[in-house]
Amino acid sequence: LKIRDKAIYCKKNIKEYNLSSLAISGVYLVLIFLCFFVLYKNQTTGSIISPWQVISGKFFIFYFLASLVLIYGAYKNYSYSLIFISIHSFLTFSVAVLVYKLGYGFDTFIHEATLNLIDKDGFVSPKPLYYLGQYSLIIIFHKLFFIPISLLNKFLLPILSSILLPSAIYLSLKHLVTNQKTVFISIVSLLALPFSIFIISTPQNLAFLFLILALLMGLICKDLICLITIYLLALASLLTQPIAGIPAIIFSVVLTVYHCDFKQYKRIVILLLFCLSSIALPLSLIVVNKSLKITAVLDGFKNSFINLFSAAVPSQDNFILNFTYLYAYNVKFILSIIILTGIFWTIRNRNEYKILIVYLGMSLSLLISYFLCSVLKFDFLISYEHADFVNRILITAALFSLPFVLLSIQNIINRITEQKKEIIIFTSIFLASLITTSLYVSYPRFDRYFNSRGYSVGQNDIEAVRWIDKNADGDYLVLANQQVSAAALSQFGFKRYYDNNI
């Protein structure tokens, strides 16, 4: 009788579990469909600064509810959670790609024009060696599967990121932590952190993706095949954009030395590689620049520290926007606390997480590299692009701290799931709010607090360049802003070259 009662109880639980799982799946899919539908209905060919100018507020309501349902499914540890996390990630990363019907950003049009030229003639001159990784990948996919270059150029990174990142993080967390029940919800929580590097397919962003995958593979590396995979990812990152690729290659070498059997000189070699990592990027930029120019050292360091440690408390708008920018302005402090908590946890359990010394050393060395580059001047960069290049090094340093972020979030989630039901519900709503906030601030904005300024290419720009080409008498040059130039590239590619580097 006891065995029969247990069997009946188990069957009842399985039935309830399946019904609950099916209901949650249906609700989530309806909400995610509504999100995509709103984006599709609000596609525009107008010239806009931010996608939020044309997307209605309903989208944020649907997205918040979908995030909340996803959190619930991840908390219940439903088997489909990883698939839904990938779907949610794709929606999150592809807002701009779906809304900007003609194309998002300026670089996208340059890369697409170059890719079309390669597809037509088989080469482009001068050869863009920095971008070989992305160009070759898109051309190969185009030739093999007959997918249009324009689609590949837009969707390559959002699709790869949404498929590969959740799976790679899942495998890494399963290796790092003992409590497997909260792994899914930890992955969902990462969407609350800014993710602007995944919303547009540029060589730099694709190189960041390859770097992240190499870092996550490094956490579970146990054999030669895994190590070779890490080297291939590092090489792909290097061929796509050296700012992420050079640290990726050095990391691969450090990881190889770490796993070697010899002990006598291991620490010295790893320390030397960390030193190399701190100077490799400044030296490479000096080589490209063909000269060494140092700006005012104090000013350079001052600006870098201001960039890192400036804080703000917004209070000039409604509660939602104030909350959004309270998070946006101070997310670097939140992220720093999360990383430091992860480092503290690693030190407490250093015998269990010995491998993480590699990640900490690389992150600190790249932080030094960031400050070194902040005092250097490079003639091949426009003034505002100098800050952009230096900030990419800071992003790379932060990416090497990813294992500490994973550990910290996992431990926080474990503590919360042990609390009362009311606290779990409140935390879930708060997390869904943070994910929605992160979505908003990761894209260009035009509101009372922030103006991204960069207008998109609009249909009128397309019509203007067509009219000029039709009515111009002979060769012509046009003085125009970036979006009109991008429109010309989209219509005529690199139509004509001039001598003397004009």
Side-chain angles (χ1 to χ4, degrees):
L1 286 172
K2 288 182 179 179
I3 293 172
R4 189 186 68 182
D5 290 342
K6 286 182 179 180
I8 293 170
Y9 178 76
C10 288
K11 285 181 180 179
K12 185 179 178 182
N13 276 356
I14 290 170
K15 187 177 180 181
E16 289 177 355
Y17 176 87
N18 288 335
L19 285 173
S20 174
S21 174
L22 189 63
I24 290 298
S25 300
V27 172
Y28 177 78
L29 290 173
V30 168
L31 288 169
I32 212 74
F33 170 79
L34 290 172
C35 287
F36 278 113
F37 180 75
V38 172
L39 293 180
Y40 174 77
K41 289 293 288 184
N42 289 282
Q43 284 184 313
T44 181
T45 58
S47 187
I48 57 175
I49 293 175
S50 167
W52 311 131
Q53 289 177 267
V54 295
I55 296 174
S56 66
K58 292 178 183 178
F59 173 80
F60 292 102
I61 296 172
F62 294 144
Y63 184 84
F64 168 79
L65 293 173
S67 300
L68 194 58
V69 173
L70 181 64
I71 290 167
Y72 179 79
Y75 170 70
K76 287 295 185 179
N77 211 31
Y78 289 144
S79 56
Y80 58 72
S81 294
L82 197 61
I83 296 172
F84 283 2
I85 291 170
S86 289
I87 295 171
H88 208 77
S89 299
F90 175 70
L91 168 67
T92 304
F93 299 155
S94 60
V95 170
V97 173
L98 293 172
V99 172
Y100 290 79
K101 203 168 183 179
L102 299 177
Y104 167 60
F106 178 68
D107 291 351
T108 303
F109 292 91
I110 299 175
H111 296 310
E112 187 172 330
T114 309
L115 286 162
N116 285 325
L117 186 60
I118 295 171
D119 182 49
K120 179 184 174 183
D121 297 341
F123 70 96
V124 62
S125 182
K127 290 181 174 59
L129 297 178
Y130 291 168
Y131 307 149
L132 182 62
Q134 177 167 320
Y135 288 180
S136 58
L137 200 60
I138 289 177
I139 292 297
I140 288 169
F141 283 160
H142 170 64
K143 295 293 187 183
L144 287 179
F145 305 110
F146 304 101
I147 304 171
I149 285 175
S150 59
L151 284 179
L152 287 169
N153 192 45
K154 290 176 182 177
F155 286 99
L156 179 68
L157 187 65
I159 289 175
L160 287 181
S161 300
S162 59
I163 293 173
L164 298 177
L165 282 179
S167 301
I169 294 169
Y170 174 74
L171 293 174
S172 301
L173 274 174
K174 286 199 73 174
H175 179 78
L176 275 177
V177 301
T178 53
N179 188 357
Q180 306 295 319
K181 292 182 179 180
T182 55
V183 167
F184 287 137
I185 197 168
S186 296
I187 301 172
V188 175
S189 302
L190 290 172
L191 289 173
L193 300 176
F195 47 79
S196 54
I197 62 173
F198 301 123
I199 67 174
I200 180 171
S201 300
T202 64
Q204 180 64 75
N205 292 342
L206 185 60
F208 280 144
L209 175 63
F210 290 140
L211 171 63
I212 294 170
L213 294 174
L215 297 179
L216 293 171
M217 287 288 290
L219 295 172
I220 59 175
C221 184
K222 293 293 183 183
D223 52 41
L224 182 61
I225 294 175
C226 191
L227 188 62
I228 291 171
T229 304
I230 292 168
Y231 269 98
L232 290 174
L233 287 167
L235 183 61
S237 183
L238 179 66
L239 292 174
T240 307
Q241 231 296 339
I243 288 179
I246 291 172
I249 291 292
I250 296 174
F251 165 75
S252 304
V253 177
V254 173
L255 201 65
T256 305
V257 175
Y258 175 84
H259 286 295
C260 285
D261 292 330
F262 68 88
K263 296 181 179 179
Q264 189 174 2
Y265 302 108
K266 184 184 287 189
R267 290 185 179 180
I268 297 173
V269 173
I270 290 176
L271 186 61
L272 289 173
L273 287 169
F274 287 156
C275 293
L276 175 63
S277 180
S278 65
I279 62 172
L281 288 175
L283 286 176
S284 62
L285 290 171
I286 290 169
V287 170
V288 172
N289 197 61
K290 298 179 181 177
S291 66
L292 173 60
K293 292 183 179 180
I294 300 177
T295 60
V297 175
L298 290 178
D299 288 341
F301 276 107
K302 180 182 176 182
N303 292 335
S304 299
F305 275 106
I306 289 173
N307 183 40
L308 279 177
F309 300 111
S310 59
V313 180
S315 59
Q316 65 188 43
D317 212 291
N318 60 59
F319 171 77
I320 294 175
L321 207 58
N322 287 341
F323 173 80
T324 298
Y325 278 94
L326 178 66
Y327 181 70
Y329 288 156
N330 301 291
V331 68
K332 54 192 169 187
F333 297 111
I334 298 169
L335 186 57
S336 298
I337 292 169
I338 291 173
I339 292 170
L340 290 173
T341 304
I343 292 172
F344 175 74
W345 182 263
T346 302
I347 294 171
R348 281 188 60 184
N349 302 273
R350 51 186 171 274
N351 292 329
E352 189 178 351
Y353 301 119
K354 288 181 179 179
I355 184 66
L356 295 191
I357 189 64
V358 173
Y359 293 81
L360 180 60
M362 287 296 299
S363 184
L364 291 175
S365 63
L366 285 166
L367 196 59
I368 294 170
S369 183
Y370 164 74
F371 286 114
L372 288 175
C373 286
S374 68
V375 301
L376 297 176
K377 184 179 180 182
F378 307 110
D379 292 334
F380 69 95
L381 292 173
I382 304 170
S383 57
Y384 64 82
E385 285 190 342
H386 179 270
D388 181 51
F389 264 66
V390 173
N391 286 334
R392 292 179 191 181
I393 299 173
L394 186 61
I395 292 171
T396 307
L399 292 178
F400 274 93
S401 300
L402 181 59
F404 304 109
V405 174
L406 294 177
L407 274 178
S408 186
I409 288 177
Q410 178 71 18
N411 282 292
I412 293 169
I413 296 296
N414 287 341
R415 298 289 177 87
I416 292 171
T417 53
E418 294 170 358
Q419 305 303 313
K420 294 179 180 178
K421 189 176 182 180
E422 293 80 5
I423 295 176
I424 294 173
I425 292 171
F426 173 78
T427 306
S428 300
I429 294 171
F430 183 69
L431 179 58
S433 301
L434 285 183
I435 292 172
T436 308
T437 300
S438 181
L439 173 76
Y440 180 81
V441 301
S442 293
Y443 285 91
R445 284 153 281 144
F446 183 47
D447 53 40
R448 290 192 182 185
Y449 285 111
F450 197 84
N451 183 355
S452 295
R453 300 187 184 280
Y455 283 91
S456 63
V457 173
Q459 186 60 39
N460 288 337
D461 300 315
I462 302 290
E463 297 300 326
V465 298
R466 286 176 178 170
W467 186 92
I468 292 169
D469 187 68
K470 181 180 178 181
N471 291 277
D473 185 14
D475 292 337
Y476 61 91
L477 290 173
V478 179
L479 181 64
N481 57 28
Q482 282 193 334
Q483 66 260 32
V484 175
S485 304
L489 278 174
S490 71
Q491 299 303 301
F492 311 117
F494 301 102
K495 186 175 181 180
R496 181 173 174 79
Y497 287 89
Y498 292 88
D499 295 332
N500 304 318
N501 296 318
I502 296 177

